[in-house]
Amino acid sequence: ITEKPELLRAIKDAYEHLGEKFQYKQGEDKSYYYTGDRICLVSCFGHMLSLKDAEDYDPNLKYWKIKDLPIQPSEFEYKVSEDKKAQFAVITKLVDGCKEIIHAGDTDEEGQLIVDEIIRFLKTNKPVKRVLINDNNLEKVVNDLQNLTDNSLHEKMGWRAYARSILDWLVGINISRLMTVAYRHKIPNSKVLSVGRV
């Protein structure tokens, strides 16, 4: 599972260099993947999941009221992003049918999280290996694919990105609602005042 289509193509070229043959498979709504004799390749399109909105936990939170603040779910949950459902269905199918997962997210914290959150969301207990690819040069990718490590050695990076996303949610939801509602008391029908962590 790669984070981006460019890396998927580089990995496909590397495996073909090692003798694997692939068939391109087209799914619904521009979803796609590659199947080989031993390996299937699929790409994310960035984050496939997003944290649920406040109203997903409680429909009453659709209406912005200061008395409901602060909003802080006891447990944060994900949902599949609306525009990525077809590709996510492909990833789910491939994870269900495989023996082992190779995590090929980018080598930064966000790249670690993008694939880790999918693995956790799907509640799979299949072994997960990690490949760290910093350069899409064929020889380099071939070498990296022959030096897989256990994903558990890298999960800390993803948890740091997860912590930031929770903080973004808490600040964005609560402070934006507080500022917007307070401002609308002075100027009715004014626009939403978006406040972010940064």
Side-chain angles (χ1 to χ4, degrees):
I1 304 173
T2 69
E3 178 181 342
K4 297 177 186 133
E6 308 88 75
L7 184 55
L8 184 78
R9 289 189 287 274
I11 289 174
K12 176 181 166 290
D13 291 346
Y15 275 127
E16 285 177 336
H17 181 76
L18 294 169
E20 187 79 12
K21 289 183 169 48
F22 291 99
Q23 284 188 323
Y24 176 81
K25 303 281 186 176
Q26 180 84 45
E28 291 180 23
D29 195 25
K30 299 183 182 173
S31 64
Y32 73 95
Y33 60 104
Y34 292 94
T35 59
D37 296 330
R38 301 176 303 111
I39 300 159
C40 293
L41 305 174
V42 67
S43 177
C44 300
F45 303 144
H47 280 280
M48 305 296 286
L49 302 168
S50 58
L51 289 167
K52 286 186 174 179
D53 296 314
E55 55 267 30
D56 293 325
Y57 297 101
D58 179 351
N60 293 322
L61 294 175
K62 184 176 181 181
Y63 307 100
W64 293 21
K65 299 172 190 161
I66 290 180
K67 72 177 182 66
D68 292 329
L69 302 178
I71 300 166
Q72 186 170 344
S74 56
E75 188 175 331
F76 285 89
E77 298 174 10
Y78 282 106
K79 61 184 177 181
V80 181
S81 298
E82 202 60 42
D83 60 334
K84 297 176 182 176
K85 283 188 170 177
Q87 188 71 2
F88 194 82
V90 167
I91 294 170
T92 302
K93 174 182 144 187
L94 293 175
V95 167
D96 285 347
C98 75
K99 292 179 182 170
E100 179 181 75
I101 299 164
I102 299 176
H103 180 319
D106 286 2
T107 58
D108 57 13
E109 293 175 353
E110 214 60 40
Q112 184 68 38
L113 177 61
I114 283 171
V115 179
D116 280 351
E117 65 191 5
I118 291 171
I119 292 165
R120 288 194 291 271
F121 185 83
L122 295 177
K123 295 182 168 63
T124 181
N125 57 6
K126 294 181 179 179
V128 182
K129 296 284 196 268
R130 183 70 160 103
V131 61
L132 298 167
I133 299 173
N134 287 313
D135 183 339
N136 288 2
N137 172 283
L138 179 64
E139 277 183 35
K140 183 80 173 73
V141 176
V142 167
N143 183 64
D144 292 339
L145 289 170
Q146 293 171 331
N147 289 287
L148 303 177
T149 54
D150 195 275
N151 188 54
S152 63
L153 299 173
H154 309 277
E155 285 179 322
K156 273 194 291 189
M157 284 198 313
W159 285 118
R160 287 195 293 267
Y162 175 75
R164 277 196 306 274
S165 70
I166 296 299
L167 187 55
D168 287 339
W169 192 100
L170 289 168
V171 170
I173 295 280
N174 288 294
I175 308 301
S176 295
R177 287 180 181 222
L178 175 67
M179 299 298 285
T180 299
V181 172
Y183 191 56
R184 283 180 178 163
H185 280 301
K186 292 184 180 277
I187 304 174
N189 302 317
S190 57
K191 292 183 179 180
V192 170
L193 296 177
S194 295
V195 181
R197 170 179 62 88
V198 177

